[in-house]
Amino acid sequence: HASEDLRILRLNSSERDYVSTLLGFMYREQQQHGSDYERVLRSYLEIVLVELNRVHLRQITMNYGQNYPSPTKNTMKYAVKYMEDHLAEEIDFHALAAEAYMSINYFRTVFKQATGLSPVDYLNRKRIIKSLHLLQSEKLPIQEIAALVGIRDANYFSRLFKKIIGYSPKYFKRIGE
């Protein structure tokens, strides 16, 4: 199923209930426009992002199971860490594969088995998650935030953001202001 291939997180029922409850609180705050509601929305958004990051880290750790020899597990951990540490840069997946003495096709296959996503999808998701933090915390134009996460085309960034998050970056920019 194509949409399953694009998921970065697989929440269990309690995680889903928790995040759903937080999103419900955010929705209620936005509808009621109580005093300081933007601040409350930012706080709930931060909690949601922290929880999603925790789930993601647990899934990555679990997926580095016994299926691969230790050098392959280490390669995937290195690749994930390298991408996360260099989000703003252009990532050369061929070079990462070559460093691990893997063909690019084998690297992609093993990476997808370990993370649930292709290397490009994983990188894009991490960039969008990082941009959510920046939209919340920085008073920068969307184009600059896109560049800070390694996406030079603001229109592409907006389309990718909406595809992954379901809302435009402008929506989150308004919450952060």
Side-chain angles (χ1 to χ4, degrees):
H1 191 270
S3 67
E4 287 179 357
D5 292 342
L6 296 177
R7 281 187 291 165
I8 192 166
L9 298 174
R10 292 173 193 88
L11 280 68
N12 66 34
S13 61
S14 65
E15 293 163 342
R16 196 170 34 254
D17 290 346
Y18 180 58
V19 170
S20 192
T21 300
L22 291 170
L23 293 173
F25 289 154
M26 289 176 70
Y27 180 76
R28 189 185 71 212
E29 280 295 326
Q30 186 174 7
Q31 295 302 309
Q32 292 176 352
H33 287 293
S35 64
D36 252 356
Y37 82 97
E38 294 98 348
R39 189 171 173 194
V40 173
L41 285 175
R42 278 194 304 274
S43 297
Y44 279 130
L45 178 61
E46 185 66 27
I47 294 168
V48 168
L49 292 172
V50 167
E51 180 61 19
L52 294 177
N53 195 45
R54 286 176 178 169
V55 169
H56 182 246
L57 290 173
R58 278 194 304 270
Q59 285 179 195
I60 293 290
T61 303
M62 286 186 329
N63 285 338
Y64 292 131
Q66 305 302 320
N67 300 338
Y68 304 109
S70 188
T72 304
K73 285 191 286 190
N74 290 339
T75 298
M76 293 303 104
K77 286 180 184 178
Y78 171 79
V80 164
K81 177 142 180 44
Y82 182 86
M83 283 188 244
E84 291 173 358
D85 291 345
H86 297 89
L87 284 178
E89 301 168 24
E90 192 170 320
I91 306 291
D92 184 349
F93 295 111
H94 290 274
L96 279 175
E99 260 184 66
Y101 303 103
M102 294 180 180
S103 72
I104 188 64
N105 289 334
Y106 183 64
F107 177 82
R108 285 182 187 130
T109 298
V110 172
F111 191 94
K112 186 166 185 170
Q113 288 173 339
T115 65
L117 295 167
S118 72
V120 170
D121 287 338
Y122 181 88
L123 179 61
N124 283 335
R125 300 288 170 131
K126 291 306 280 187
R127 285 175 167 166
I128 295 304
I129 289 170
K130 173 70 175 177
S131 73
L132 266 172
H133 288 286
L134 294 172
L135 286 165
Q136 179 188 7
S137 63
E138 302 293 327
K139 303 259 187 257
L140 296 171
I142 290 172
Q143 184 171 356
E144 285 184 43
I145 289 173
L148 286 173
V149 296
I151 301 173
R152 306 293 177 247
D153 181 341
N155 290 326
Y156 174 69
F157 170 77
S158 292
R159 286 191 312 272
L160 185 62
F161 190 100
K162 184 162 182 149
K163 177 181 175 186
I164 291 171
I165 301 298
Y167 293 92
S168 74
K170 289 179 185 176
Y171 175 81
F172 288 94
K173 185 83 174 136
R174 282 195 304 269
I175 291 175
E177 292 175 344

